[in-house]
Amino acid sequence: MTSRMDSSRLSSYSVSAVSTQNLALSDGRTLRVHDSADAYSQKDAFTVLGHRGSPQTGALLEPVLVAAAVRGIRLVSYGRPSYGGSTGCAGAPLPRPAPT
């Protein structure tokens, strides 16, 4: 596991350093994945798979990225179907916000 990073370097962390890739799924859809490995942690670091509910793009938010990077934690997240570059499920309705 990587060692903790010096907290004085917090201002140097940026979401733009997170890698984003599209995974081709067996049913032909695409899953957009965001990964902080190589940017601020190693691939063998303790890894947290993040999901913040639906709908969401899966993009790693800067405050969460910084908190994890300082602790040497790798973050991985993904875009829900039809959001943030992930393709939707054929015939599945899109989630709707709850009535207010």
Side-chain angles (χ1 to χ4, degrees):
M1 183 184 290
T2 58
S3 61
R4 291 184 179 203
M5 297 196 174
D6 181 358
S7 61
S8 65
R9 294 175 41 200
L10 289 178
S11 62
S12 67
Y13 299 124
S14 170
V15 171
S16 64
V18 171
S19 68
T20 301
Q21 60 180 320
N22 293 322
L23 300 178
L25 304 179
S26 60
D27 64 359
R29 294 181 300 128
T30 298
L31 180 67
R32 171 83 40 99
V33 177
H34 307 275
D35 189 346
S36 70
D38 297 333
Y40 305 113
S41 64
Q42 297 175 3
K43 292 201 181 282
D44 64 349
F46 181 82
T47 301
V48 174
L49 175 63
H51 181 273
R52 295 183 307 275
S54 188
Q56 58 101 2
T57 65
L60 295 171
L61 302 177
E62 197 139 3
V64 178
L65 176 65
V66 170
V70 168
R71 293 161 178 84
I73 296 172
R74 175 186 181 190
L75 296 176
V76 177
S77 186
Y78 61 94
R80 299 281 294 155
S82 299
Y83 293 94
S86 293
T87 55
C89 301
L94 291 177
R96 295 184 184 165
T100 56

